[in-house]
Amino acid sequence: MAEGDTGGVRSGGQAQGDAFSKREAANEDLYVRQKEMEKLAALKKKIEEHKKHLEELEKNVAETIARKE
């Protein structure tokens, strides 16, 4: 294959390919980390919503018990 053909060796040799591969892997790792952080934030938000709902239910139960006494 000639230089520049698909699958051909880049000018600069193996070292340049390694640098590109490392940068690409780092970008992929960053993307995955950002997606995980987004999922974590969504889970934290959902937990807070459930906590508020649980507090409302506990309040309703306490009020119901107080009325019956």
Side-chain angles (χ1 to χ4, degrees):
M1 282 190 198
E3 186 177 328
D5 288 347
T6 302
V9 177
R10 291 183 177 89
S11 62
Q14 186 67 25
Q16 185 176 6
D18 287 342
F20 178 77
S21 297
K22 287 179 184 177
R23 185 176 69 209
E24 184 177 14
N27 285 336
E28 289 173 3
D29 290 344
L30 180 62
Y31 176 81
V32 169
R33 181 168 168 78
Q34 287 173 339
K35 290 298 177 186
E36 288 175 346
M37 295 300 289
E38 290 172 6
K39 288 179 183 178
L40 183 59
L43 287 172
K44 286 181 178 181
K45 181 180 177 183
K46 192 163 232 170
I47 288 171
E48 288 303 315
E49 291 171 358
H50 284 283
K51 283 182 181 179
K52 288 178 184 177
H53 182 67
L54 182 59
E55 288 173 3
E56 290 174 10
L57 292 174
E58 289 173 343
K59 181 181 174 184
N60 290 341
V61 168
E63 289 174 358
T64 302
I65 291 171
R67 283 187 211 147
K68 290 186 178 183
E69 291 178 351

